[in-house]
Amino acid sequence: MSHEQLLEVKNLKTTFLSEEGSVYAVRGIDFSVAKGESLGIVGESGCGKSVTMLSVLRLLTSNARSSADFLSFEGEDLLKKSKTEMRAIRGKKIGMIFQDPMTSLNPVYSVGNQIYEPLKIHMNIRGEAARQKAIELLKLVEISSPESRLKQFPHEFSGGMRQRTMIAIALCCNPQLLIADEPTTALDVTIQAQILELMNGLKEKLHMSIILITHDLGVIASMCTRIIVMYGGLIVEEASADELFENPVHPYTQGLMGSRPQAGEGGKAKKLSSIPGSPPDLLAPPKGCPFAPRCRKAMLVCKEYMPDFSQVSDSHKVACWLRHPKAITRMEAV
C-alpha cells in the first residue's frame, strides 16, 4: 500500500435486510483517499453515497450486512478492529459532519457541553482546559463571541452557526480525515458558500483529507480535486474535478451536468434538462448497467452486462459500454 493513501477500500458491499427482501445498497466498489486530498462523491439520493461512508465507519444499523476485501485506514485494517477500537478511531482520527445539524446536536445540552464531550473521551481534556479548547474551536469556525456562545443551546443558533458547531465538534481531536455528508443542504446559498470556504480553509490549515458527499455538482466544483460518480450502488465514473467538468463521459454524469443551472449566451439561464425515469430498485438490481433503463444511448449489451472500467486518461475512468472496445463482440454474443 502506498504511504500516500490514507484510506483504501476494495470490493465494499453493503446490504440491508428488510421485510420486502434484501436491499443491495452498495454493490462492490473500490476507492481510495490520499493524504491532503479532497474527494467528492456525487449522485442522486439512494445511490449509496452515505451508506458507503457509514460502512467504512462501521456505523450501520443492525439489519445491515457489510463486507469488503480490504478496508485500510493509515495502513491499519479496519475490518479487524473491535467496536471499542472503531469508536476511538471515529472520534479521534476520522471526523464526521452529518446532514442535519438540528438532529445531530442534542437539544437539551449546551453547545459547550457537546464540544467538551469528545475532548474528555478522546483527548482526556477536562475543566478549564476543555473550555479554552472549545473557545479556540469556535473561533476556528468563525463563530463570534465564543465565550458566551458556549452556554447557549442549539435552538439559539442559526442554521449556519449550527453547521459551524458541527464542524467544530468534528475537528475537536484533529482528525486526519473529515467526512462531510451533504454539509450545506439545509442552508441558503450565501451561508453555503461561507461553510464551503471555511472547510477549504481548515483543510489547508490543518492538513487533513476531506470526503464530501453531495448531490450538488456546484458544491463539488468549489471543494474537490477528484470526483467519484455513484449510481445504483456502483461507481460509474471517476476523474479529477477538472477533467470531469470538461469531459463527462458516462451518460449519467452528462445528465447530472445538464441538470445544473448554468448561464447561457447574454447571461440568460440555460434551459435545464432532466434525466427521465427514476433510479433502479435496489431490492432487485439490474444485471447490466444500472443506468441503462434511463439512458438514451443504451444498447442491448448495457442491459445484460455491467462493463468493466475503461481508462479515458491517467486520472479518468468510466464504466460504460460506449467506451468499451469489446462492446460490439459482447453485443453479438447476447
Side-chain angles (χ1 to χ4, degrees):
M1 172 179 145
S2 154
H3 69 281
E4 286 302 313
Q5 296 300 349
L6 185 66
L7 176 71
E8 275 199 295
V9 178
K10 293 216 168 88
N11 197 24
L12 177 69
K13 295 178 182 175
T14 301
T15 305
F16 291 93
L17 311 175
S18 73
E19 286 176 8
E20 291 85 39
S22 296
V23 180
Y24 299 91
V26 178
R27 301 195 285 139
I29 64 168
D30 303 354
F31 70 96
S32 61
V33 184
K35 289 182 179 174
E37 182 181 31
S38 294
L39 173 71
I41 303 182
V42 70
E44 287 170 90
S45 294
C47 71
K49 311 182 296 289
S50 298
V51 173
T52 294
M53 283 306 112
L54 293 171
S55 305
V56 167
L57 292 170
R58 302 212 345 231
L59 277 175
L60 295 163
T61 49
S62 58
N63 66 329
R65 302 290 175 268
S66 191
S67 67
D69 292 350
F70 189 67
L71 186 53
S72 161
F73 179 74
E74 287 193 308
E76 290 187 51
D77 187 351
L78 294 186
L79 297 168
K80 291 182 177 160
K81 299 287 178 197
S82 68
K83 282 184 178 178
T84 311
E85 288 171 321
M86 273 310 294
R87 205 173 293 131
I89 288 169
R90 282 196 300 264
K92 196 166 184 181
K93 296 185 173 184
I94 304 175
M96 177 106 186
I97 305 166
F98 292 96
Q99 284 188 31
D100 182 4
M102 202 58 204
T103 53
S104 303
L105 291 168
N106 192 322
V108 302
Y109 288 105
S110 70
V111 164
N113 275 330
Q114 296 185 63
I115 302 175
Y116 303 151
E117 188 72 6
L119 290 173
K120 186 169 73 181
I121 294 170
H122 299 293
M123 309 284 279
N124 202 19
I125 299 173
R126 298 156 193 272
E128 184 55 26
R131 198 180 86 86
Q132 288 306 322
K133 176 72 176 167
I135 288 168
E136 197 183 300
L137 284 162
L138 290 184
K139 279 182 183 163
L140 189 67
V141 296
E142 296 168 12
I143 287 181
S144 56
S145 317
E147 294 85 354
S148 57
R149 293 290 186 191
L150 285 176
K151 297 173 195 145
Q152 292 183 313
F153 290 82
H155 71 268
E156 297 176 85
F157 277 31
S158 67
M161 281 168 64
R162 284 197 291 268
Q163 196 56 282
R164 286 166 192 269
T165 304
M166 285 299 300
I167 295 170
I169 293 170
L171 296 178
C172 263
C173 307
N174 308 320
Q176 284 92 320
L177 174 63
L178 180 66
I179 298 171
D181 188 355
E182 302 274 13
T184 58
T185 303
L187 306 172
D188 69 50
V189 179
T190 317
I191 306 293
Q192 195 168 336
Q194 289 172 6
I195 296 290
L196 294 174
E197 199 179 315
L198 171 72
M199 284 172 62
N200 255 336
L202 291 171
K203 175 188 167 289
E204 298 306 319
K205 199 171 182 176
L206 306 172
H207 309 293
M208 62 184 175
S209 304
I210 290 181
I211 297 177
L212 179 66
I213 300 167
T214 183
H215 63 275
D216 185 336
L217 282 162
V219 167
I220 286 268
S222 65
M223 275 288 289
C224 299
T225 43
R226 192 161 58 91
I227 299 170
I228 284 171
V229 181
M230 280 190 78
Y231 185 81
L234 296 167
I235 292 171
V236 294
E237 190 161 6
E238 183 178 334
S240 69
D242 292 345
E243 265 199 86
L244 197 80
F245 280 95
E246 267 172 45
N247 179 28
V249 174
H250 198 282
Y252 175 61
T253 312
Q254 291 168 355
L256 283 180
M257 295 287 182
S259 61
R260 68 195 173 110
Q262 285 172 301
E265 287 175 29
K268 280 187 179 174
K270 274 189 187 172
K271 190 168 185 260
L272 293 180
S273 63
S274 63
I275 302 172
S278 50
D281 177 5
L282 293 179
L283 275 162
K287 54 181 173 173
C289 169
F291 190 61
R294 302 173 75 183
C295 182
R296 294 186 177 98
K297 300 171 186 171
M299 304 176 286
L300 186 59
V301 69
C302 305
K303 292 172 180 153
E304 292 295 326
Y305 299 100
M306 180 65 198
D308 297 329
F309 279 104
S310 31
Q311 291 293 141
V312 180
S313 75
D314 289 346
S315 60
H316 191 172
K317 61 181 185 177
V318 66
C320 180
W321 282 117
L322 294 167
R323 297 289 303 196
H324 229 279
K326 295 177 187 166
I328 305 306
T329 50
R330 288 298 284 273
M331 244 183 105
E332 288 164 0
V334 170

